Amino acid sequence: QCELQGLWRRELGSSMTILALVTAGTFSGSYHTAVAATNKQILVSLLQGIQQHPSAKRHPTLGFTVRGQFSDIPTAFVGQCFVDHPGKETLETTWLLWEEVLSHR
């Protein structure tokens, strides 16, 4: 069973901490990016998310959003948690960052 609560680190240096999950599968925490094209100081950002009911599957899917403290651009992440045979947990995620544009064209 994959346990999302705790500290997670990305291969590029970013990290996030997921606090206790609520019974409905919602969670909150913090995200600190190590990858950004900005001259501003990068601060820890709040994250909000939800996973499928923890008892529903062995490898739960999840989604969360982050609004960076160095910009107002929200980023959405979706993915799945896996546990290998020695018990190592891994999050496989993809993300979408959308900047404001002046027209839908």
Side-chain angles (χ1 to χ4, degrees):
Q1 182 77 18
C2 193
E3 181 64 45
L4 290 178
Q5 184 176 342
L7 175 66
W8 294 87
R9 294 192 187 280
R10 290 188 58 206
E11 64 275 4
L12 297 176
S14 299
S15 64
M16 73 175 177
T17 300
I18 296 178
L19 304 175
L21 284 106
V22 178
T23 54
T26 61
F27 58 88
S28 62
S30 60
Y31 187 87
H32 188 262
T33 186
V35 182
T38 183
N39 292 330
K40 298 179 183 178
Q41 180 183 8
I42 298 174
L43 303 172
V44 174
S45 303
L46 297 177
L47 70 83
Q48 295 287 324
I50 190 165
Q51 79 169 79
Q52 74 185 99
H53 194 279
S55 65
K57 303 284 181 185
R58 184 169 172 221
H59 304 290
T61 59
L62 65 139
F64 61 93
T65 57
V66 174
R67 186 174 127 208
Q69 294 296 320
F70 59 91
S71 75
D72 279 340
I73 302 170
T75 305
F77 293 79
V78 293
Q80 188 170 358
C81 189
F82 295 95
V83 182
D84 65 14
H85 292 296
K88 181 183 177 194
E89 297 170 324
T90 302
L91 287 182
E92 293 288 342
T93 62
T94 190
W95 55 275
L96 176 66
L97 178 136
W98 191 283
E99 290 188 87
E100 179 185 15
V101 294
L102 299 178
S103 169
H104 67 276
R105 294 177 189 197

